[in-house]
Amino acid sequence: MSRLWELTAVLSVSTNLAITSYILYNLWKTRWQCEESDEPEARVLMFPDGGYQCNYWTAGHCHFENCTLLHHKTNKTRLKELLEGAVKSINVCMFVLSCAVLLDALIEAHRKGVTVRIVCDNMKISGSAYKITEAGLDVRVDNSPSMMHHKFMIIDKEILLTGSYNWTASGAAYNRENVFITDEKYVLDQFISEFEKLWVTFEGSSEIRYEAITSCDVIRNRFVHRSNNKS
Ligand SMILES: [Zn+2]
């Protein structure tokens, strides 16, 4: 009888240990998975997402009394935050570059010591884009008759952003655009390879011919005008 009791006790303790271990393992696993999920495998940003974000609000303070632009985070803010999170390198391959918010984020990254390289097209760099050469960022330009029509960016060789979205104010405000974000290595490697290929192809062509000004502020006014006409 006492042997049976001992056996039952041993079994009970073993079972309790097994259950406790299982619970602890799952708790640890859940926590580990949460930490890993800080960098999503894939995410999509759609534009427009509610309107045009006020650049003054983004910079810290909007001085317009009846500003009708957005005073909260948008998908463009999320792009800016991704740029701010770069620690080693940012490689940008962009057909149109004119949005001051994103260009300022690139310049700030450069000032922090992040290696920033930009490949763009000679026909579609305008507005605030002069800032990037003034700040000393490395830019290479496709001066051929063909268009350098890519729109992608690679952060720290770990995150890829690609899609239809050009870095313009209108792209975020009223165009139908998308940005796909992934850290999937197979896809990432092909874009890294393409960037390096273009970087070599356009070596020595850093002269930028600016188009007539189409800065964020000009587009901002145009957008306000459109909004007023619609209402
Ligand atoms: Zn505002």
Side-chain angles (χ1 to χ4, degrees), residues 33-89:
Q33 283 178 337
C34 283
E35 285 172 359
E36 284 297 299
S37 70
D38 287 347
E39 289 192 8
E41 287 179 6
R43 189 168 55 183
V44 176
L45 303 179
M46 294 293 183
F47 296 91
D49 61 336
Y52 184 63
Q53 189 182 43
C54 173
N55 285 349
Y56 295 101
W57 178 84
T58 310
H61 175 68
C62 174
H63 54 269
F64 290 98
E65 209 170 285
N66 298 312
C67 182
T68 56
L69 304 183
L70 301 180
H71 285 193
H72 59 76
K73 283 189 178 184
T74 63
N75 282 340
K76 192 166 79 175
T77 322
R78 292 181 181 93
L79 292 179
K80 179 173 168 274
E81 287 173 347
L82 279 166
L83 288 170
E84 289 169 345
V87 291
K88 292 177 190 166
S89 64

Side-chain angles (χ1 to χ4, degrees), residues 162-177:
T162 185
S164 64
Y165 177 63
N166 275 305
W167 284 14
T168 65
S170 57
Y174 36 76
N175 290 351
R176 307 291 174 191
E177 310 279 5

Side-chain angles (χ1 to χ4, degrees), residues 2-226:
S2 69
R3 274 195 176 178
L4 183 62
W5 184 88
E6 280 175 16
L7 185 62
T8 307
V10 168
L11 278 173
S12 175
V13 170
S14 303
T15 307
N16 283 337
L17 273 173
I19 291 170
T20 307
S21 303
Y22 180 76
I23 291 169
L24 285 173
Y25 169 73
N26 276 291
L27 278 172
W28 172 81
K29 194 178 166 191
T30 306
R31 181 176 168 75
W32 178 77
Q33 283 178 337
C34 283
E35 285 172 359
E36 284 297 299
S37 70
D38 287 347
E39 289 192 8
E41 287 179 6
R43 189 168 55 183
V44 176
L45 303 179
M46 294 293 183
F47 296 91
D49 61 336
Y52 184 63
Q53 189 182 43
C54 173
N55 285 349
Y56 295 101
W57 178 84
T58 310
H61 175 68
C62 174
H63 54 269
F64 290 98
E65 209 170 285
N66 298 312
C67 182
T68 56
L69 304 183
L70 301 180
H71 285 193
H72 59 76
K73 283 189 178 184
T74 63
N75 282 340
K76 192 166 79 175
T77 322
R78 292 181 181 93
L79 292 179
K80 179 173 168 274
E81 287 173 347
L82 279 166
L83 288 170
E84 289 169 345
V87 291
K88 292 177 190 166
S89 64
I90 302 173
N91 294 329
V92 180
C93 209
M94 195 61 54
F95 179 50
V96 187
L97 280 161
S98 65
C99 179
V101 170
L102 299 177
L103 292 171
D104 285 345
L106 279 185
I107 292 165
E108 187 53 33
H110 170 70
R111 286 184 184 140
K112 282 193 309 186
V114 174
T115 303
V116 179
R117 296 186 294 170
I118 300 165
V119 170
C120 58
D121 191 78
N122 63 338
M123 296 303 291
K124 292 291 179 185
I125 186 158
S126 55
S128 304
Y130 70 91
K131 290 179 171 186
I132 57 176
T133 44
E134 272 189 2
L137 274 67
D138 281 338
V139 182
R140 292 190 181 177
V141 182
D142 179 1
N143 280 317
S144 75
S146 306
M147 287 179 180
M148 202 306 294
H149 207 244
H150 283 308
K151 296 117 188 157
F152 70 85
M153 170 170 69
I154 302 154
I155 298 174
D156 292 334
K157 294 188 176 177
E158 288 177 355
I159 302 172
L160 166 74
L161 294 88
T162 185
S164 64
Y165 177 63
N166 275 305
W167 284 14
T168 65
S170 57
Y174 36 76
N175 290 351
R176 307 291 174 191
E177 310 279 5
N178 71 81
V179 175
F180 177 67
I181 306 170
T182 182
D183 57 4
E184 212 282 304
K185 193 174 180 316
Y186 174 74
V187 180
L188 194 56
D189 284 349
Q190 292 180 71
F191 278 86
I192 290 171
S193 171
E194 176 67 7
F195 184 88
E196 295 302 335
K197 188 182 84 182
L198 295 180
W199 190 251
V200 172
T201 301
F202 302 131
E203 187 175 6
S205 59
S206 58
E207 189 181 337
I208 298 173
R209 192 177 64 210
Y210 294 104
E211 289 191 323
I213 192 96
T214 54
S215 72
C216 283
D217 274 342
V218 174
I219 291 168
R220 175 184 185 279
N221 293 334
R222 192 192 305 162
F223 182 72
V224 171
H225 179 66
R226 282 187 188 190

